[in-house]
Amino acid sequence: MDVREKHEVPVLDKQIFTQVPMSELANFITKGFSQKHVVLICQHGIRSVAAAEALQEKFGNTKKIYSLKGGIVKWRDYFIRP
């Protein structure tokens, strides 16, 4: 799940990543989601940690929630296809 705002680049493949900007996360949490395993990503890894904490608080141990350390900046070559 990409928690960056919609105007941020690089844009990731929407078939692989769901985009839920931090500004919309509270609304997303109230609706819930079916995935049992969630990896959160952002540009540098800071917002994804905050999002992971919010999701963990809401869903507890019912979901496995991870934050990608270092964000897209660190892992760019793995996410962006040539």
Side-chain angles (χ1 to χ4, degrees):
M1 181 184 306
D2 184 355
V3 296
R4 297 174 305 140
E5 296 302 317
K6 292 180 180 179
H7 65 275
E8 294 184 66
V9 292
V11 176
L12 302 178
D13 186 339
K14 293 189 185 303
Q15 292 179 339
I16 299 171
F17 297 95
T18 300
Q19 187 174 29
V20 180
M22 283 294 288
S23 60
E24 299 173 15
L25 188 64
N27 187 42
F28 178 80
I29 289 173
T30 60
K31 293 179 181 177
F33 55 98
S34 61
Q35 292 84 359
K36 295 288 184 193
H37 300 273
V38 179
V39 177
L40 297 150
I41 60 172
C42 65
Q43 201 71 10
H44 296 281
I46 298 166
R47 285 176 285 181
S48 62
V49 168
E53 290 171 354
L55 291 175
Q56 192 68 45
E57 183 177 313
K58 171 69 176 177
F59 298 106
N61 294 329
T62 62
K63 298 182 185 296
K64 299 290 184 182
I65 300 168
Y66 307 92
S67 172
L68 182 67
K69 185 176 182 179
I72 292 174
V73 169
K74 183 172 183 176
W75 299 96
R76 183 178 311 252
D77 294 337
Y78 296 103
F79 286 120
I80 301 174
R81 296 180 187 154

